[in-house]
Amino acid sequence: MKKTFLTACAALLFLTASAQENPYIVKTSGAKKSAQGGIMNELGDAAQEETATDFISQNFKFYSLCDWQEGMKFMVLPEKYDLVVKTFTDAATGKDVSSMPLKYKIMIYKGHHESSDGHSRIDFYCQDNGRSYYYEIPSGSFDDYCYSKTGVPTLAYLGDVDIAREKLMGKTLYTKTQFFRIDTEYDGDGYQDVIVDKDMEVKVTKVGVGTRSFPVKIIVEDKDGNEFYQNVAISKTNCGMRDDEFIMDEAKYLFGNSFEMVDDIFAINSYNYKTYIGKIIHTKFRTKLLNETTKKMQAIPRMMEYQIEAMNPHKNDDKFTLKLKNTTLGTYFYGDFVLDEHRAENQDDYFGYIFAPGPGKKIQTSEGSRAMMRAGHVGIGFSEDEVMMAAGEPDKVEHGQNGFYTWIFNRSNNKLLLVEFDGNGVVSKTSTKDAPKRNSTPTTRKGGGRRTTSKGSSSWKNGKGTPL
């Protein structure tokens, strides 16, 4: 018993030393030197289904077992089950070998053969110890077996790791999920789940081997120097999983569900967007845009005139962020839209429905008033047009005596802004009050119809970049 225990300890020390010297084993900063956990951990976490990118299709080829070529490299990364069921047989002795002493060793594919008793065997040469091994197919011929997704257990394909290291080291990526990990053990496989911001810019600092199913371990660093990683499948060679198994908790371990390359992002529709930059447009319907000065969403009335400053495509959907400059105030506004009407979730998201080409309504105002309007403030003496530029169209209009009337705006802080006009259409008083908990009074608008629910027509019919 004592001898068995000492032998196990020696094997564990050997594995630790091998892992430290192996360039394929990489860790996030902060991993502790002493291992405390088990041999391998389960995989999990949520994400959405992967969409193939040009980067993937151009650089990472899937090899079914039928197409393996001699010289392909794999690393032995046993999971818990593999420590019980022995995968490899020593070709020289004919004895099955435990996966524990083979962990982290590199196996080179040497083809396949039939044994004298009719069993199909897949041959490997271990470059770390100079011995030959084979994996015996459980049943059937090699030709029958090689079309399945089962592959050879324990083996992580290093071809993907080598290509990822060449193509990704030092590159800028964006996170497409919030769920990543950090290493907790320098000599073991312990990790801790962490949550990061989605769509965050990160830089690849290390690329190594992950697991059999998700063989490429990509370690990235955010702008504050924090490192975290994801184990991802890229070509899916020998991953042991069917395509329909990359769902739910497993879906984010596809490269395209965790990361996106900056080159892939800005290539999207770049030609179409360039044709719009600098054009003058106006709002056909009331909408909401983010005011850069106030940092708040502002209700924008009809016929407001803007110049298009930028159209930046999103990384995870069909939308782009539109940057507009109000031609009267010089204030910048932002909103998210799509160019293609058929990709809009609703008509308010469709750029061609909300905006029309050409100038909008010209508004005369003083420099003092413009300063207040840029800050979203309504001043005494403002005209209706000036109030709409500062606060948008009212949510409700109440009429009083002697031609007086009040515009009411719903504020985001559960307050109402009340703007009172005299009989000449000039602001005479402004005030605020608490909004009622429930207001079922229908909204009316002064000087403009209600937006319909059907698709609106536009002189911009599609997202093909037709010049204005």
Side-chain angles (χ1 to χ4, degrees), residues 291 293-294 296 298 329 331 333 365 367-392 409 411 417-419 427 430 432:
N291 186 318
T293 303
T294 65
K296 296 179 180 179
Q298 179 174 322
L329 303 178
T331 309
F333 292 84
T365 183
E367 180 58 38
S369 295
R370 286 196 292 273
M372 293 185 66
M373 286 185 283
R374 280 193 289 269
H377 299 314
V378 177
I380 304 300
F382 272 24
S383 66
E384 286 188 359
D385 289 337
E386 290 175 320
V387 173
M388 283 196 288
M389 289 195 72
F409 298 87
R411 294 308 202 193
L417 170 64
L418 282 66
V419 179
V427 174
T430 64
T432 60

Short mmCIF file of all heavy atoms in Angstrom, two decimals, residues 291 293-294 296 298 329 331 333 365 367-392 409 411 417-419 427 430 432:
data_model
loop_
_atom_site.label_atom_id
_atom_site.label_comp_id
_atom_site.label_asym_id
_atom_site.label_seq_id
_atom_site.Cartn_x
_atom_site.Cartn_y
_atom_site.Cartn_z
N ASN A 291 -28.97 62.19 -26.04
CA ASN A 291 -28.34 63.50 -26.11
C ASN A 291 -26.95 63.41 -25.47
O ASN A 291 -26.82 63.06 -24.29
CB ASN A 291 -29.20 64.52 -25.36
CG ASN A 291 -28.70 65.95 -25.50
OD1 ASN A 291 -27.50 66.21 -25.44
ND2 ASN A 291 -29.62 66.89 -25.68
N THR A 293 -24.91 65.71 -24.62
CA THR A 293 -24.68 66.73 -23.59
C THR A 293 -25.33 66.36 -22.26
O THR A 293 -24.70 66.42 -21.21
CB THR A 293 -25.20 68.10 -24.06
OG1 THR A 293 -24.56 68.46 -25.29
CG2 THR A 293 -24.92 69.17 -23.03
N THR A 294 -26.60 65.95 -22.33
CA THR A 294 -27.33 65.65 -21.09
C THR A 294 -27.17 64.21 -20.63
O THR A 294 -27.51 63.87 -19.51
CB THR A 294 -28.82 65.93 -21.29
OG1 THR A 294 -29.36 65.02 -22.27
CG2 THR A 294 -29.06 67.37 -21.74
N LYS A 296 -28.91 61.79 -21.57
CA LYS A 296 -30.25 61.25 -21.37
C LYS A 296 -30.93 61.04 -22.73
O LYS A 296 -30.60 61.71 -23.71
CB LYS A 296 -31.11 62.18 -20.51
CG LYS A 296 -30.60 62.35 -19.08
CD LYS A 296 -31.49 63.32 -18.31
CE LYS A 296 -31.00 63.50 -16.88
NZ LYS A 296 -31.85 64.46 -16.13
N GLN A 298 -33.74 61.63 -25.28
CA GLN A 298 -34.57 62.80 -25.51
C GLN A 298 -35.58 62.51 -26.60
O GLN A 298 -35.24 61.91 -27.63
CB GLN A 298 -33.70 64.00 -25.88
CG GLN A 298 -34.49 65.27 -26.15
CD GLN A 298 -33.57 66.46 -26.38
OE1 GLN A 298 -32.54 66.60 -25.72
NE2 GLN A 298 -33.92 67.32 -27.33
N LEU A 329 -28.24 73.53 -33.24
CA LEU A 329 -27.60 73.61 -31.93
C LEU A 329 -26.16 73.14 -31.93
O LEU A 329 -25.38 73.50 -31.05
CB LEU A 329 -28.39 72.78 -30.91
CG LEU A 329 -29.87 73.14 -30.71
CD1 LEU A 329 -30.50 72.19 -29.70
CD2 LEU A 329 -30.00 74.58 -30.24
N THR A 331 -25.48 70.13 -31.27
CA THR A 331 -25.48 69.05 -30.27
C THR A 331 -25.46 67.70 -30.98
O THR A 331 -26.07 67.52 -32.04
CB THR A 331 -26.75 69.13 -29.40
OG1 THR A 331 -26.88 70.47 -28.91
CG2 THR A 331 -26.67 68.16 -28.23
N PHE A 333 -26.29 63.61 -31.14
CA PHE A 333 -27.28 62.63 -30.68
C PHE A 333 -26.91 61.26 -31.24
O PHE A 333 -26.27 61.15 -32.29
CB PHE A 333 -28.69 63.02 -31.16
CG PHE A 333 -29.23 64.27 -30.52
CD1 PHE A 333 -28.92 65.52 -31.03
CD2 PHE A 333 -30.06 64.18 -29.41
CE1 PHE A 333 -29.41 66.67 -30.44
CE2 PHE A 333 -30.57 65.33 -28.83
CZ PHE A 333 -30.25 66.58 -29.33
N THR A 365 -33.47 81.17 -33.45
CA THR A 365 -33.29 81.23 -32.00
C THR A 365 -32.03 82.04 -31.70
O THR A 365 -31.18 82.25 -32.56
CB THR A 365 -33.17 79.82 -31.40
OG1 THR A 365 -33.05 79.91 -29.99
CG2 THR A 365 -31.96 79.08 -31.96
N GLU A 367 -28.45 82.92 -29.37
CA GLU A 367 -27.33 82.15 -28.83
C GLU A 367 -27.59 81.76 -27.38
O GLU A 367 -27.27 80.65 -26.97
CB GLU A 367 -26.05 82.97 -28.92
CG GLU A 367 -24.82 82.25 -28.37
CD GLU A 367 -24.56 80.92 -29.07
OE1 GLU A 367 -24.77 80.83 -30.29
OE2 GLU A 367 -24.15 79.96 -28.38
N GLY A 368 -28.21 82.67 -26.60
CA GLY A 368 -28.54 82.35 -25.21
C GLY A 368 -29.52 81.20 -25.11
O GLY A 368 -29.37 80.31 -24.26
N SER A 369 -30.50 81.19 -25.99
CA SER A 369 -31.49 80.11 -25.98
C SER A 369 -30.84 78.80 -26.42
O SER A 369 -31.15 77.73 -25.89
CB SER A 369 -32.65 80.46 -26.91
OG SER A 369 -33.36 81.57 -26.44
N ARG A 370 -29.94 78.87 -27.41
CA ARG A 370 -29.28 77.64 -27.88
C ARG A 370 -28.48 76.98 -26.76
O ARG A 370 -28.42 75.75 -26.67
CB ARG A 370 -28.39 77.96 -29.08
CG ARG A 370 -29.17 78.23 -30.36
CD ARG A 370 -28.28 78.14 -31.58
NE ARG A 370 -27.30 79.22 -31.65
CZ ARG A 370 -27.53 80.41 -32.21
NH1 ARG A 370 -28.73 80.66 -32.76
NH2 ARG A 370 -26.59 81.34 -32.24
N ALA A 371 -27.84 77.77 -25.92
CA ALA A 371 -27.08 77.21 -24.80
C ALA A 371 -27.99 76.44 -23.86
O ALA A 371 -27.63 75.35 -23.36
CB ALA A 371 -26.34 78.31 -24.05
N MET A 372 -29.19 76.98 -23.59
CA MET A 372 -30.14 76.29 -22.71
C MET A 372 -30.68 75.03 -23.38
O MET A 372 -30.81 73.98 -22.75
CB MET A 372 -31.30 77.22 -22.34
CG MET A 372 -30.90 78.40 -21.48
SD MET A 372 -32.35 79.36 -20.97
CE MET A 372 -33.20 78.19 -19.91
N MET A 373 -30.96 75.13 -24.67
CA MET A 373 -31.52 73.98 -25.39
C MET A 373 -30.53 72.83 -25.47
O MET A 373 -30.90 71.66 -25.38
CB MET A 373 -31.97 74.41 -26.79
CG MET A 373 -33.25 75.23 -26.80
SD MET A 373 -33.84 75.58 -28.48
CE MET A 373 -32.72 76.87 -28.97
N ARG A 374 -29.23 73.15 -25.64
CA ARG A 374 -28.21 72.09 -25.68
C ARG A 374 -28.20 71.30 -24.37
O ARG A 374 -27.91 70.11 -24.37
CB ARG A 374 -26.84 72.70 -25.97
CG ARG A 374 -26.59 73.01 -27.43
CD ARG A 374 -25.13 73.31 -27.69
NE ARG A 374 -24.74 74.59 -27.13
CZ ARG A 374 -24.79 75.75 -27.79
NH1 ARG A 374 -25.20 75.77 -29.06
NH2 ARG A 374 -24.41 76.87 -27.23
N ALA A 375 -28.49 71.98 -23.27
CA ALA A 375 -28.52 71.33 -21.96
C ALA A 375 -29.87 70.71 -21.65
O ALA A 375 -30.06 70.14 -20.57
CB ALA A 375 -28.14 72.32 -20.87
N GLY A 376 -30.83 70.83 -22.58
CA GLY A 376 -32.15 70.25 -22.38
C GLY A 376 -33.06 71.07 -21.49
O GLY A 376 -34.06 70.55 -20.97
N HIS A 377 -32.76 72.36 -21.31
CA HIS A 377 -33.56 73.22 -20.45
C HIS A 377 -34.53 74.05 -21.27
O HIS A 377 -34.22 74.47 -22.39
CB HIS A 377 -32.67 74.15 -19.62
CG HIS A 377 -31.74 73.42 -18.71
ND1 HIS A 377 -32.13 72.38 -17.91
CD2 HIS A 377 -30.39 73.61 -18.46
CE1 HIS A 377 -31.09 71.93 -17.22
NE2 HIS A 377 -30.02 72.66 -17.54
N VAL A 378 -35.69 74.33 -20.69
CA VAL A 378 -36.71 75.18 -21.31
C VAL A 378 -36.74 76.51 -20.57
O VAL A 378 -36.83 76.54 -19.32
CB VAL A 378 -38.09 74.51 -21.25
CG1 VAL A 378 -39.16 75.44 -21.82
CG2 VAL A 378 -38.07 73.19 -22.02
N GLY A 379 -36.64 77.62 -21.31
CA GLY A 379 -36.60 78.93 -20.68
C GLY A 379 -37.84 79.76 -20.94
O GLY A 379 -38.58 79.53 -21.89
N ILE A 380 -38.06 80.74 -20.07
CA ILE A 380 -39.16 81.69 -20.26
C ILE A 380 -38.92 82.47 -21.55
O ILE A 380 -37.80 82.91 -21.83
CB ILE A 380 -39.26 82.66 -19.07
CG1 ILE A 380 -39.40 81.89 -17.75
CG2 ILE A 380 -40.44 83.62 -19.25
CD1 ILE A 380 -40.62 81.01 -17.68
N GLY A 381 -39.95 82.61 -22.36
CA GLY A 381 -39.84 83.31 -23.61
C GLY A 381 -39.56 82.41 -24.81
O GLY A 381 -39.52 82.88 -25.94
N PHE A 382 -39.37 81.11 -24.57
CA PHE A 382 -39.15 80.17 -25.67
C PHE A 382 -40.41 80.06 -26.53
O PHE A 382 -41.54 80.13 -26.04
CB PHE A 382 -38.83 78.78 -25.13
CG PHE A 382 -37.37 78.54 -24.86
CD1 PHE A 382 -36.50 79.58 -24.61
CD2 PHE A 382 -36.86 77.25 -24.82
CE1 PHE A 382 -35.16 79.36 -24.35
CE2 PHE A 382 -35.52 77.01 -24.57
CZ PHE A 382 -34.65 78.07 -24.33
N SER A 383 -40.19 79.86 -27.83
CA SER A 383 -41.29 79.54 -28.73
C SER A 383 -41.56 78.03 -28.67
O SER A 383 -40.79 77.27 -28.06
CB SER A 383 -40.93 79.96 -30.16
OG SER A 383 -39.84 79.15 -30.64
N GLU A 384 -42.62 77.60 -29.33
CA GLU A 384 -42.92 76.17 -29.38
C GLU A 384 -41.76 75.40 -30.02
O GLU A 384 -41.38 74.33 -29.55
CB GLU A 384 -44.21 75.93 -30.17
CG GLU A 384 -45.48 76.31 -29.44
CD GLU A 384 -46.72 75.87 -30.21
OE1 GLU A 384 -46.56 75.30 -31.32
OE2 GLU A 384 -47.83 76.09 -29.71
N ASP A 385 -41.23 75.95 -31.12
CA ASP A 385 -40.13 75.27 -31.80
C ASP A 385 -38.92 75.12 -30.88
O ASP A 385 -38.24 74.08 -30.87
CB ASP A 385 -39.74 76.03 -33.06
CG ASP A 385 -40.79 75.92 -34.16
OD1 ASP A 385 -41.57 74.94 -34.12
OD2 ASP A 385 -40.82 76.79 -35.05
N GLU A 386 -38.63 76.16 -30.13
CA GLU A 386 -37.48 76.10 -29.23
C GLU A 386 -37.71 75.09 -28.10
O GLU A 386 -36.79 74.38 -27.70
CB GLU A 386 -37.20 77.50 -28.65
CG GLU A 386 -36.65 78.47 -29.68
CD GLU A 386 -36.48 79.87 -29.13
OE1 GLU A 386 -37.36 80.32 -28.36
OE2 GLU A 386 -35.47 80.52 -29.45
N VAL A 387 -38.93 75.00 -27.61
CA VAL A 387 -39.24 74.02 -26.57
C VAL A 387 -39.06 72.61 -27.12
O VAL A 387 -38.51 71.72 -26.45
CB VAL A 387 -40.67 74.22 -26.03
CG1 VAL A 387 -41.04 73.08 -25.07
CG2 VAL A 387 -40.80 75.56 -25.33
N MET A 388 -39.53 72.39 -28.35
CA MET A 388 -39.41 71.05 -28.93
C MET A 388 -37.94 70.67 -29.16
O MET A 388 -37.55 69.53 -29.01
CB MET A 388 -40.20 70.96 -30.24
CG MET A 388 -41.70 70.82 -30.00
SD MET A 388 -42.62 70.26 -31.45
CE MET A 388 -42.54 71.72 -32.45
N MET A 389 -37.11 71.64 -29.51
CA MET A 389 -35.70 71.34 -29.68
C MET A 389 -35.04 71.01 -28.34
O MET A 389 -34.12 70.19 -28.27
CB MET A 389 -34.97 72.53 -30.32
CG MET A 389 -35.32 72.73 -31.78
SD MET A 389 -34.15 73.82 -32.62
CE MET A 389 -32.73 72.78 -32.72
N ALA A 390 -35.51 71.62 -27.27
CA ALA A 390 -34.93 71.38 -25.96
C ALA A 390 -35.47 70.13 -25.30
O ALA A 390 -34.72 69.40 -24.64
CB ALA A 390 -35.19 72.58 -25.05
N ALA A 391 -36.76 69.87 -25.47
CA ALA A 391 -37.38 68.79 -24.70
C ALA A 391 -38.14 67.79 -25.56
O ALA A 391 -38.61 66.77 -25.04
CB ALA A 391 -38.34 69.38 -23.66
N GLY A 392 -38.29 68.06 -26.86
CA GLY A 392 -39.04 67.15 -27.71
C GLY A 392 -40.51 67.51 -27.75
O GLY A 392 -40.96 68.52 -27.21
N PHE A 409 -44.56 66.98 -20.16
CA PHE A 409 -43.53 66.00 -20.56
C PHE A 409 -43.32 65.01 -19.42
O PHE A 409 -43.16 65.41 -18.26
CB PHE A 409 -42.20 66.71 -20.85
CG PHE A 409 -42.27 67.69 -21.99
CD1 PHE A 409 -42.64 69.01 -21.76
CD2 PHE A 409 -41.94 67.31 -23.28
CE1 PHE A 409 -42.69 69.93 -22.80
CE2 PHE A 409 -41.99 68.22 -24.33
CZ PHE A 409 -42.36 69.53 -24.09
N ARG A 411 -40.93 62.80 -17.46
CA ARG A 411 -39.50 62.68 -17.22
C ARG A 411 -39.17 61.29 -16.68
O ARG A 411 -40.02 60.61 -16.10
CB ARG A 411 -39.02 63.75 -16.23
CG ARG A 411 -39.12 65.18 -16.76
CD ARG A 411 -38.47 65.32 -18.10
NE ARG A 411 -38.10 66.70 -18.40
CZ ARG A 411 -37.74 67.13 -19.59
NH1 ARG A 411 -37.73 66.28 -20.61
NH2 ARG A 411 -37.38 68.38 -19.81
N LEU A 417 -42.71 67.55 -16.35
CA LEU A 417 -42.32 68.92 -16.66
C LEU A 417 -43.52 69.62 -17.28
O LEU A 417 -44.06 69.15 -18.29
CB LEU A 417 -41.14 68.94 -17.62
CG LEU A 417 -40.78 70.31 -18.22
CD1 LEU A 417 -40.31 71.28 -17.13
CD2 LEU A 417 -39.73 70.18 -19.32
N LEU A 418 -43.95 70.71 -16.68
CA LEU A 418 -45.09 71.48 -17.18
C LEU A 418 -44.58 72.78 -17.78
O LEU A 418 -43.91 73.58 -17.10
CB LEU A 418 -46.08 71.79 -16.06
CG LEU A 418 -47.02 70.66 -15.62
CD1 LEU A 418 -46.26 69.52 -14.98
CD2 LEU A 418 -48.07 71.17 -14.65
N VAL A 419 -44.87 73.00 -19.06
CA VAL A 419 -44.45 74.21 -19.77
C VAL A 419 -45.72 74.96 -20.18
O VAL A 419 -46.49 74.48 -21.02
CB VAL A 419 -43.59 73.87 -20.99
CG1 VAL A 419 -43.19 75.15 -21.72
CG2 VAL A 419 -42.36 73.07 -20.59
N VAL A 427 -43.50 80.80 -23.98
CA VAL A 427 -43.46 80.19 -22.65
C VAL A 427 -43.53 81.28 -21.59
O VAL A 427 -42.71 82.22 -21.58
CB VAL A 427 -42.18 79.36 -22.47
CG1 VAL A 427 -42.07 78.84 -21.03
CG2 VAL A 427 -42.15 78.19 -23.45
N THR A 430 -42.58 77.63 -16.25
CA THR A 430 -42.24 76.20 -16.24
C THR A 430 -42.25 75.71 -14.80
O THR A 430 -41.93 76.47 -13.88
CB THR A 430 -40.85 75.93 -16.85
OG1 THR A 430 -39.86 76.56 -16.04
CG2 THR A 430 -40.77 76.43 -18.27
N THR A 432 -42.37 71.72 -12.28
CA THR A 432 -42.35 70.25 -12.23
C THR A 432 -43.26 69.77 -11.11
O THR A 432 -43.50 70.49 -10.13
CB THR A 432 -40.93 69.70 -12.00
OG1 THR A 432 -40.42 70.20 -10.76
CG2 THR A 432 -39.99 70.09 -13.13
#
